[in-house]
């Protein structure tokens, strides 16, 4: 009987952990525009820029402003809470991963060079770990 109870508890715990782990989908952001641009330098360095923009006056941008304002005015807010990424920033990071996976541009991950997050737009600039080969130069030509 004791073994049956322990087994049941173990299965319930496993189900709870599995349920939480699979729930990684971000809340919808709403209408946005985005742009993924690539640049291969003469030395073969592969660079990229990803930019995402929300419509001016977007409710999520206004909510982020209100949240930041409340945190600045709350004398009890801690530094961890103030540094939590916005929904826009979370979407930007996920979209970069998706674009790199879809295009195959950075096969071996990337270095983040800069990240800018504002109320209605965000931008991430990166450099691929690997250099460009002849196929990359054909597939990802620099825009003039």
């Amino acid at each position: 009987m004791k073994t049956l109870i322990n087994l049941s508890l173990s299965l319930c715990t496993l189900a709870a952990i599995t349920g939480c782990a699979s729930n990684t989908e971000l809340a919808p952001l709403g209408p946005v525009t985005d742009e993924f641009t690539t640049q291969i330098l003469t030395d073969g360095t592969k660079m990229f820029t990803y930019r995402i923009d929300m419509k001016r006056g977007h409710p999520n941008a206004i909510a982020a402003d209100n949240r930041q304002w409340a945190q600045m005015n709350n004398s009890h807010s801690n530094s961890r809470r103030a540094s939590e990424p916005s929904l826009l920033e979370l979407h930007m990071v996920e979209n970069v991963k998706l674009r790199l996976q879809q295009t195959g541009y950075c096969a071996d991950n990337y270095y983040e060079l800069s990240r800018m997050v504002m109320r209605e737009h965000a931008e991430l600039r990166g450099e691929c770990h690997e250099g460009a080969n002849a196929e990359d130069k054909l597939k990802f030509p620099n825009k003039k």
Side-chain angles (χ1 to χ4, degrees):
M1 184 69 171
K2 191 175 185 179
T3 306
L4 184 61
I5 292 172
N6 286 339
L7 180 61
S8 296
L9 288 174
S10 296
L11 288 174
C12 288
T13 303
L14 181 61
I17 291 171
T18 305
C20 293
S22 65
N23 190 14
T24 58
E25 192 170 313
L26 293 174
L29 189 57
V32 296
T33 58
D34 67 345
E35 180 180 31
F36 179 73
T37 57
T38 61
Q39 181 183 20
I40 298 176
L41 305 181
T42 55
D43 67 356
T45 302
K46 293 166 54 175
M47 314 286 280
F48 69 88
T49 302
Y50 178 80
R51 181 180 172 112
I52 185 168
D53 295 287
M54 289 192 292
K55 183 180 172 188
R56 187 173 285 294
H58 191 287
N60 282 327
I62 294 167
D65 273 356
N66 291 339
R67 193 169 45 251
Q68 286 175 334
W69 181 255
Q71 287 174 352
M72 287 187 321
N73 290 324
N74 183 359
S75 60
H76 300 292
S77 68
N78 60 34
S79 60
R80 181 176 182 265
R81 200 162 124 225
S83 66
E84 288 179 359
S86 68
L87 185 58
L88 179 63
E89 185 173 6
L90 293 171
H91 274 272
M92 176 185 66
V93 171
E94 284 303 309
N95 289 353
V96 165
K97 290 177 190 175
L98 184 61
R99 287 289 178 100
L100 293 175
Q101 183 182 27
Q102 289 172 340
T103 62
Y105 188 67
C106 291
D108 189 27
N109 216 337
Y110 66 93
Y111 303 104
E112 186 173 313
L113 302 176
S114 66
R115 180 184 295 207
M116 177 187 66
V117 181
M118 301 185 79
R119 180 176 14 153
E120 296 173 344
H121 66 269
E123 181 178 286
L124 188 144
R125 293 181 57 242
E127 177 183 332
C128 299
H129 285 180
E130 79 281 355
N133 57 32
E135 183 182 333
D136 290 331
K137 291 176 183 178
L138 290 174
K139 188 175 178 181
F140 306 102
N142 291 337
K143 295 192 168 103
K144 306 276 179 193

